[in-house]
Amino acid sequence: MIHPGVPVHLGPPRTSHVSRALLGSLLVVLVVLSIRPAAAVRVRITSPLRSPNARVVSKGHHRSLPRVCDLDGAVDGVCTFYTEATVLKCAINGGSGCQDVSDDSSPPPCPFSSSPFALPLRPNGRPAKRIRVIKNGVYPSDRFIMRCLPPRQPESTTTSTTLPGVRSLSGVWTLADNNLVEGCPPGAQTPILAPSIIMQQMGTSLAACVMGYLNFTAETSEAGFTSDPAGDLSDLGIGTAEWMGTVSGMVLASGDIAVTERWKLRFATCENVRTGIMTRDEPSCASHQDCIRLLGACSRCLGGRCLSQPPFCRPSQ
């Protein structure tokens, strides 16, 4: 996305823990245009072993770009690439207008505005290559030539981020509403949370993302969680900015979550209550590619099920 008046950057800084997790050896060759569409340039970006940064060579210039390769920081046989073309082109080559370009994505666990691209290794851990062509109308097309090289150490294992006795709620969930009890005047449009909700849990702290931008935080327990949504509710429906909401969830024996949304008008004493059930998006799979196709770049095939786990293709702040 374009954000006026902000210098070029590639998202939030990576923590030292995530930096140490970048143990794959990746090579990306990007054939891109500069910010001036008519000037085509060749750019080589290399992410060496044990380095969180990519080394960039273009037109005789050398750059070091962080957070371009292997965004999830996991040695899992899949390379995950940052794809916001305009931000990348400005960071690599600069040009007129680049002083006003930055990544304006919402904070984690919300995804980047431009979805990352996941490229699994070929069978038996062989290198993989993929070319993406982004057309620009009357101008020459951008070509992203990505190569994923195998790591030089065993694949990483999943580390628990929850406390004993507290169930992990991290992952991608689908919320299905099944009941609305209205206590407010007829015609008041109650906000509706999007069907897909991304949740990331660290200990008893829960961060969630709805609609790719609306975030809320919560505290979890053995029973579930309670949270107050934050951000601009106006995009959830006409007139919804007048509402304040509380979302709570109770974990059922099945692993699903019974959700209760309580919405109050800011200038009234009424309350509308909506209930629903959240279920994890964990279809069966035979390979990482199955999950990437079904749930996106941040999902992996673990134990025959598609799991979407933190950091969801981007570092936490």
Side-chain angles (χ1 to χ4, degrees):
M1 296 180 64
I2 307 300
H3 187 66
V6 182
V8 172
H9 63 89
L10 294 178
R14 187 181 294 276
T15 63
S16 59
H17 171 75
V18 177
S19 295
R20 290 194 298 270
L22 291 178
L23 300 178
S25 178
L26 309 171
L27 173 65
V28 189
V29 181
L30 305 179
V31 182
V32 299
L33 305 176
S34 72
I35 199 68
R36 292 180 293 273
V41 295
R42 180 178 294 272
V43 180
R44 287 181 170 83
I45 301 180
T46 304
S47 180
L49 183 67
R50 296 184 182 274
S51 172
N53 299 329
R55 181 173 173 80
V56 180
V57 180
S58 176
K59 295 183 177 180
H61 300 289
H62 297 266
R63 301 279 193 277
S64 179
L65 294 183
R67 301 175 298 279
V68 173
C69 304
D70 206 25
L71 296 178
D72 63 353
V75 186
D76 57 7
V78 181
C79 300
T80 314
F81 301 101
Y82 179 85
T83 65
E84 178 52 68
T86 302
V87 175
L88 281 173
K89 288 185 288 186
C90 280
I92 295 167
N93 294 308
S96 176
C98 280
Q99 70 276 7
D100 298 327
V101 174
S102 73
D103 189 316
D104 197 29
S105 301
S106 297
C110 290
F112 283 114
S113 299
S114 293
S115 298
F117 184 80
L119 178 60
L121 292 169
R122 293 190 296 165
N124 299 321
R126 291 177 295 165
K129 177 181 177 180
R130 189 68 54 83
I131 299 176
R132 298 188 73 200
V133 178
I134 301 178
K135 296 183 178 180
N136 299 292
V138 298
Y139 300 111
S141 298
D142 294 340
R143 294 173 61 85
F144 289 73
I145 306 173
M146 296 169 285
R147 292 189 63 215
C148 180
L149 303 183
R152 297 181 182 177
Q153 73 169 43
E155 295 186 359
S156 60
T157 57
T158 302
T159 302
S160 175
T161 56
T162 58
L163 300 177
V166 179
R167 186 180 307 199
S168 174
L169 303 182
S170 291
V172 179
W173 298 76
T174 296
L175 172 60
D177 296 319
N178 55 23
N179 188 35
L180 174 63
V181 178
E182 294 184 294
C184 292
Q189 185 172 348
T190 308
I192 299 177
L193 296 182
S196 181
I197 299 177
I198 302 173
M199 298 205 298
Q200 178 171 337
Q201 183 173 338
M202 298 292 291
T204 60
S205 297
L206 187 70
C209 181
V210 181
M211 298 181 68
Y213 79 95
L214 182 67
N215 57 81
F216 58 82
T217 59
E219 286 296 314
T220 65
S221 64
E222 294 184 32
F225 69 89
T226 301
S227 174
D228 298 324
D232 185 5
L233 299 180
S234 61
D235 286 345
L236 293 178
I238 299 175
T240 53
E242 301 175 356
W243 294 87
M244 297 181 297
T246 298
V247 181
S248 60
M250 181 178 66
V251 180
L252 305 176
S254 63
D256 296 340
I257 301 177
V259 176
T260 301
E261 304 171 44
R262 297 185 179 276
W263 297 99
K264 297 180 180 180
L265 282 171
R266 296 180 185 275
F267 307 106
T269 58
C270 64
E271 178 183 74
N272 286 355
V273 179
R274 178 184 287 108
T275 58
I277 297 293
M278 284 176 53
T279 57
R280 288 186 191 269
D281 286 341
E282 296 182 351
S284 59
C285 58
S287 66
H288 290 323
Q289 187 64 60
D290 292 340
C291 301
I292 293 168
R293 175 176 53 83
L294 292 171
L295 298 181
C298 303
S299 184
R300 301 291 184 264
C301 185
L302 301 173
R305 310 294 296 183
C306 291
L307 302 181
S308 299
Q309 300 176 322
F312 302 110
C313 298
R314 61 183 300 173
S316 301
Q317 289 180 315

